[in-house]
Amino acid sequence: KQEVTQIPAALSVPEGENLVLNCSFTDSAIYNLQWFRQDPGKGLTSLLLIQSSQREQTSGRLNASLDKSSGRSTLYIAASQPGDSATYLCAVSEGTSGSRLTFGEGTQLTVNP
Amino acid sequence: DAMVIQNPRYQVTQFGKPVTLSCSQTLNHNVMYWYQQKSSQAPKLLFHYYDKDFNNEADTPDNFQSRRPNTSFCFLDIRSPGLGDAAMYLCATSRDLKGTGQPQHFGDGTRLSIL
């Protein structure tokens, strides 16, 4: 059974810092990996999707990497801002058709002004 | 532009009283999903529809059912809600089932409380 772990569970940084969030998964037979952002009481916003054949994806200040063989992904946030404060979730797509997303429990990020 | 819309945002029901949550999408995606997310936990897939084909996760309680009358709408029915069913329920869509390159798009969720 796939297990997804995110470390750290919570992170507090001053504004302007670069930071890295970590995600690991136990079964490397995945179709893709997605990073999401969740604001309190809200749904999930997709940030980046990395296909299993890719190594990284970039969007603005965000960069996500994937090392499928070692079961690891990182989300790098450059020049953090208070508006980046949220919970960040990673999820791997698996199952016979890739339909199932298995999530980690997330990293709660606080960026202090 | 809202693409996955869940109604209501907040739902309160009584212990044992059936409740229905709704989800609609304007993306014309083939696949719709329902997830349950309890406080500070990871979202957990309950089931998904590929077009009209229903797929239940093995550990989804029998208390939970779903209907998809057309491409745009999907409903989550909880027949006899218990206190343990209090959670955020998230609806998501994807264009197709093939996992590669197919992001899932989520609604804002319905927070269900049980009295």
Side-chain angles (χ1 to χ4, degrees):
Chain A
K1 180 185 172 187
Q2 177 77 265
E3 291 184 4
V4 180
T5 304
Q6 291 187 245
I7 294 173
L11 181 64
S12 181
V13 300
E15 182 176 3
E17 275 210 1
N18 303 324
L19 57 100
V20 174
L21 307 181
N22 296 292
C23 172
S24 62
F25 48 95
T26 54
D27 186 345
S28 62
I30 64 170
Y31 286 85
N32 61 52
L33 183 144
Q34 272 187 268
W35 282 95
F36 293 90
R37 169 186 173 136
Q38 186 172 33
D39 292 291
K42 294 290 188 84
L44 307 180
T45 300
S46 180
L47 297 173
L48 290 164
L49 180 147
I50 312 176
Q51 297 183 29
S52 61
S53 58
Q54 297 175 326
R55 299 283 292 183
E56 65 177 322
Q57 283 286 335
T58 298
S59 176
R61 293 182 293 108
L62 305 179
N63 176 276
S65 68
L66 174 64
D67 184 342
K68 199 173 95 160
S69 61
S70 68
R72 292 179 184 175
S73 176
T74 60
L75 179 66
Y76 174 82
I77 303 177
S80 58
Q81 303 170 357
D84 294 331
S85 298
T87 297
Y88 291 80
L89 295 141
C90 74
V92 296
S93 174
E94 52 168 353
T96 55
S97 56
S99 58
R100 182 183 307 114
L101 279 184
T102 300
F103 285 84
E105 293 195 341
T107 293
Q108 186 174 354
L109 173 66
T110 303
V111 181
N112 301 301
Chain B
D1 295 340
M3 295 182 289
V4 182
I5 304 161
Q6 292 190 242
N7 284 305
R9 288 295 314 282
Y10 302 92
Q11 176 75 56
V12 181
T13 191
Q14 292 179 335
F15 182 95
K17 185 173 181 180
V19 65
T20 295
L21 310 182
S22 77
C23 177
S24 63
Q25 54 131 341
T26 59
L27 297 162
N28 203 33
H29 281 175
N30 289 318
V31 194
M32 296 187 77
Y33 309 81
W34 280 104
Y35 290 85
Q36 178 192 62
Q37 185 181 26
K38 296 188 176 180
S39 182
S40 300
Q41 295 185 20
K44 180 179 176 301
L45 181 66
L46 295 173
F47 26 60
H48 74 271
Y49 271 96
Y50 176 61
D51 195 13
K52 292 188 183 297
D53 292 334
F54 176 73
N55 294 271
N56 202 31
E57 291 298 298
D59 54 357
T60 297
D62 293 339
N63 202 22
F64 291 82
Q65 296 179 338
S66 185
R67 296 171 283 137
R68 189 179 185 187
N70 54 52
T71 300
S72 301
F73 285 87
C74 195
F75 300 99
L76 171 61
D77 300 310
I78 308 177
R79 287 190 296 181
S80 182
L83 296 178
D85 297 328
M88 174 78 88
Y89 289 88
L90 297 165
C91 174
T93 73
S94 66
R95 190 169 69 226
D96 210 336
L97 262 183
K98 293 181 181 177
T100 303
Q102 299 287 332
Q104 292 191 15
H105 301 266
F106 283 76
D108 278 342
T110 293
R111 182 167 295 284
L112 178 66
S113 300
I114 313 295
L115 298 180

